[in-house]
Amino acid sequence: MQTGSIDLAALPTFTPDQWEGGAHELLLQGARITVQATPGTVETAHGADAADTTAHGADDTAWNSAGITATADTEVTVRLDVPLGDAAGFWHPNAGWERTLPADWSPWRPVSLVDSAPVGCLYDTAGRTLLAFAADRTVRQTAVRFGVSEEHKRFGVWLRFPLAAGESFRLRLAAPGATLAAALRDLREWFAALPGGAPMPTPDFGRTPVYSTWYAFAQDVTAAGVEREAVLAAELGCGQLFLDDGWQRHGDGRGYAGCGDWTADPVKFPDLRAHVETVRAAGLRYTAWIAPLLLGARAEAHRDWARYAPHYVHRLDCRILDPRHAEVREHVVRVCRDAVADYGLDGLKIDFLDEAVAYGAAPVPEDAGPGFVADVGEAMALLLGLLREELRELRGDEFVIELRQRYTGPAMTAYGNLLRAIDCPADAVANRVRTLDIAMLAPGGAVHSDMLMWDPQGPPEVLARQVHGALHSVPQISARLTGLPAAHREALAFWLATWRRLAPALTGGHYEPGRPDELYPQVTARHGEQWVVTAYDERPVTLPTGPWRALTLVNASTAGRLLLEVGGPARRVRIQPHDAAGRPGPALLLDLAPGLHSVAVPAGGLCDVTEATG
């Protein structure tokens, strides 16, 4: 059976020889690299990036990259392994809640352009990396597995993939001993420098808070209802409105059996273009949801396109178009372009692209026509590249394309400039973890939270907790603003104003969030001399010892205080606290000598710390 990728179902989860040596072995940044392939089919070599000026000499462990070149068609397995040391967990883009140490009999998993990325970090109990790697195979599907060897007391990572004669594979390792965030900063810069890896430009409005209709309205959206919310959203400081599922014909019933036509529902939106202009006049840019790979039986398009969509997904109640066909790629680009042109949109929120992986191990159809591409990742790269250029022709660079986990890997920033956490309604912890996972690896674009929702009958603290989970990303708000209690609206105004004030640090990309398996308990973010520390638990906050112009401490814990650990010179500071609703408390003057200090800060609130004068 001819397919475009490795059939993961056929790969055993454990083989006795998986820890054996290969014909080629290298040492790289303290890691052992073993390459297994048919004898005589590959060549290997050390390498160094242009920015690395180290004189390596005979010390193999100092090299930071290695290359594999196929001299004949072959299938390659690369193993990276290091001693266990004090390992605590393994991070990768699709880690989800699996952030500790799996065994080496864990299953193979696919990575490709629209499903995670070939990158991972093994870290110890101090949060320092023992192994941090990336591979340049960011588009085509690769099988990946990792885990602890019970026999060898080592941690291994396996990557398996086909290479055609003349093709190369490149591996990059960051120096061990850095924090996870520092190692990922190194690797994301490497990803961005790969051919075709330069991120799309992000317009300024793409970095402004969003009002989303999804959790507020679900599919029961109407032009009049959205326009009422848009006015309030603009007053609160939002810069964008995202119209989610429900605007299109047959957009009802919560499933996707009506997807495929992508024209406006004539009852809900009798004149969608005029509606978009009304919302833009209120001060918001306008983006609409679209899921162009979904094909439902109720759509008129089903008649013509069902033959290109053999895979049916029961949980979605629809078929998935196979992007390996050139006809499908052209169709998807056309419907997206038409929606933007016909309705005057500023952006597209493109959903369910990861469903394309259903064709990863599918056989090549007998009726495959010209332009058929066997590998799903390559097919999606062609589709998204064509879509990007078509929309650029329409709107220039003043346009946004939102992508969501699982397809927010570093290579996807060439095709989309808004990267959103996967849906986690009312789950502030998940929003925190997912946005930080994306942000640490993204070489470009604006990282967005999943939409924020909360109980409007609860106290303002429940709203604040949701904002805290999205604080280190661009927040997307999804509540009926017209029906919010006054206390909630005031609290939301405070937190959005605070977010805008602190945005350079919060979204500047320089994060130190702590260990992934502890769910990033304390996040330090900085931009120049502006610092923000968000404490999600009660461990002490270490104040920066270097210069800082502005320091904001967010108490995202349930305690009514923050413990400050001072290690630098003594300072006299003014502390201005606010509670979760944004109400200011009495200012404090405090002499911060080296040591531990307890400062009263309301649970869910924050305090601004400035140098006291006089």
Side-chain angles (χ1 to χ4, degrees):
M1 180 180 71
Q2 182 187 5
T3 70
S5 305
I6 294 174
D7 183 2
L8 272 69
L11 294 180
T13 58
F14 182 87
T15 58
D17 64 348
Q18 65 185 21
W19 283 94
E20 290 183 1
H24 303 268
E25 288 196 5
L26 304 169
L27 288 177
L28 204 65
Q29 297 286 17
R32 183 172 61 189
I33 314 297
T34 304
V35 180
Q36 296 177 332
T38 303
T41 60
V42 298
E43 297 175 347
T44 61
H46 286 106
D49 291 336
D52 186 355
T53 57
T54 305
H56 298 286
D59 182 9
D60 287 349
T61 63
W63 294 98
N64 62 15
S65 65
I68 301 170
T69 302
T71 57
D73 293 356
T74 189
E75 189 168 285
V76 179
T77 300
V78 177
R79 186 185 76 234
L80 303 81
D81 63 270
V82 295
L84 269 177
D86 195 21
F90 183 74
W91 179 95
H92 60 95
N94 271 6
W97 301 116
E98 182 189 60
R99 292 167 181 266
T100 50
L101 295 174
D104 64 355
W105 34 264
S106 62
W108 292 90
R109 61 195 74 201
V111 300
S112 67
L113 181 66
V114 291
D115 189 3
S116 189
V119 57
C121 292
L122 178 71
Y123 56 89
D124 64 17
T125 54
R128 300 287 171 174
T129 55
L130 302 169
L131 171 68
F133 77 92
D136 68 349
R137 195 177 165 88
T138 57
V139 173
R140 287 181 289 177
Q141 190 179 87
T142 300
V144 179
R145 188 174 57 152
F146 40 81
V148 173
S149 168
E150 300 168 14
E151 294 85 0
H152 299 277
K153 314 307 186 275
R154 297 178 72 88
F155 188 89
V157 177
W158 291 260
L159 300 99
R160 190 162 180 167
F161 49 90
L163 273 186
E167 287 186 337
S168 295
F169 167 86
R170 191 175 174 203
L171 194 64
R172 163 71 186 235
L173 270 69
T179 64
L180 173 76
L184 291 179
R185 283 193 290 272
D186 177 294
L187 296 177
R188 76 187 185 193
E189 291 173 5
W190 182 78
F191 276 123
L194 293 175
M200 275 182 66
T202 304
D204 289 343
F205 74 82
R207 303 183 188 276
T208 61
V210 172
Y211 180 81
S212 167
T213 64
W214 181 239
Y215 294 142
F217 289 89
Q219 292 177 314
D220 295 327
V221 283
T222 64
V226 172
E227 288 165 17
R228 286 192 294 269
E229 297 295 314
V231 173
L232 290 176
E235 291 175 356
L236 286 169
C238 292
Q240 309 173 75
L241 185 142
F242 283 15
L243 178 64
D244 215 295
D245 184 10
W247 66 270
Q248 74 282 10
R249 286 174 57 88
H250 308 301
D252 52 52
R254 194 60 188 264
Y256 299 95
C259 285
D261 295 331
W262 307 114
T263 56
D265 185 302
V267 175
K268 297 176 181 178
F269 294 91
D271 189 339
L272 182 54
R273 187 179 185 94
H275 162 72
V276 170
E277 292 172 355
T278 298
V279 171
R280 295 190 80 204
L284 303 179
R285 295 297 188 99
Y286 206 110
T287 290
W289 176 86
I290 193 168
L293 292 183
L294 303 191
L295 184 67
R298 295 168 60 196
E300 292 180 11
H302 188 272
R303 180 182 63 252
D304 297 325
W305 291 97
R307 68 189 183 98
Y308 291 106
H311 182 68
Y312 179 81
V313 181
H314 287 276
R315 64 182 173 82
L316 301 178
D317 193 19
C318 67
R319 296 179 178 273
I320 308 299
L321 287 165
D322 184 350
R324 298 178 300 168
H325 294 278
E327 298 90 339
V328 168
R329 297 193 296 272
E330 292 167 3
H331 166 73
V332 166
V333 170
R334 182 169 57 252
V335 297
C336 289
R337 189 187 194 282
D338 287 351
V340 172
D342 292 348
Y343 303 129
L345 302 174
D346 297 298
L348 289 176
K349 172 179 180 168
I350 307 182
D351 212 350
F352 293 110
L353 293 183
D354 46 346
E355 295 297 332
V357 301
Y359 297 105
V364 175
E366 294 181 359
D367 61 347
F372 183 88
V373 176
D375 185 86
V376 168
E378 287 187 321
M380 290 301 295
L382 289 171
L383 188 161
L384 293 169
L386 180 58
L387 176 60
R388 176 191 60 202
E389 296 312 309
E390 287 284 325
L391 297 183
R392 182 172 285 161
E393 182 180 306
L394 273 180
R395 302 302 304 270
D397 289 331
E398 286 293 303
F399 192 84
V400 296
I401 297 176
E402 186 200 86
L403 309 171
R404 63 146 175 86
Q405 289 169 314
R406 303 178 298 178
Y407 46 94
T408 52
M412 286 296 280
T413 61
Y415 307 107
N417 45 18
L418 306 188
L419 310 174
R420 179 176 67 83
I422 196 170
D423 298 28
C424 50
D427 192 335
V429 175
N431 232 346
R432 176 213 318 172
V433 170
R434 293 169 182 176
T435 52
L436 288 166
D437 279 347
I438 299 172
M440 287 190 293
L441 189 58
V447 177
H448 282 227
S449 73
D450 184 39
M451 298 74 73
L452 306 189
M453 61 166 282
W454 61 90
D455 182 356
Q457 304 304 315
E461 283 79 4
V462 301
L463 180 159
R465 188 164 295 112
Q466 297 301 318
V467 176
H468 297 158
L471 201 58
H472 295 272
S473 63
V474 177
Q476 295 197 11
I477 309 301
S478 193
R480 294 284 187 106
L481 302 177
T482 52
L484 280 183
H488 280 223
R489 201 180 299 179
E490 291 166 5
L492 184 57
F494 168 78
W495 283 107
L496 288 179
T498 297
W499 184 91
R500 291 194 301 273
R501 173 171 63 89
L502 303 177
L506 293 175
T507 62
H510 192 100
Y511 303 99
E512 286 296 342
R515 279 171 44 176
D517 60 313
E518 294 180 340
L519 307 181
Y520 307 130
Q522 189 179 111
V523 183
T524 299
R526 66 176 174 86
H527 181 268
E529 294 186 12
Q530 183 186 59
W531 291 72
V532 181
V533 181
T534 308
Y536 293 98
D537 66 10
E538 298 180 42
R539 69 188 67 193
V541 174
T542 301
L543 296 190
T545 56
W548 45 268
R549 172 183 53 81
L551 172 63
T552 299
L553 307 176
V554 180
N555 184 9
S557 77
T558 56
R561 66 169 188 174
L562 288 174
L563 290 176
L564 309 183
E565 188 170 359
V566 180
R571 299 187 187 204
R572 187 170 176 80
V573 299
R574 182 179 185 273
I575 296 178
Q576 176 59 66
H578 289 78
D579 67 13
R583 296 181 292 259
L588 307 171
L589 285 176
L590 191 62
D591 292 311
L592 292 180
L596 204 59
H597 301 262
S598 178
V599 178
V601 179
L606 61 77
C607 66
D608 291 306
V609 185
T610 55
E611 294 272 9
T613 58

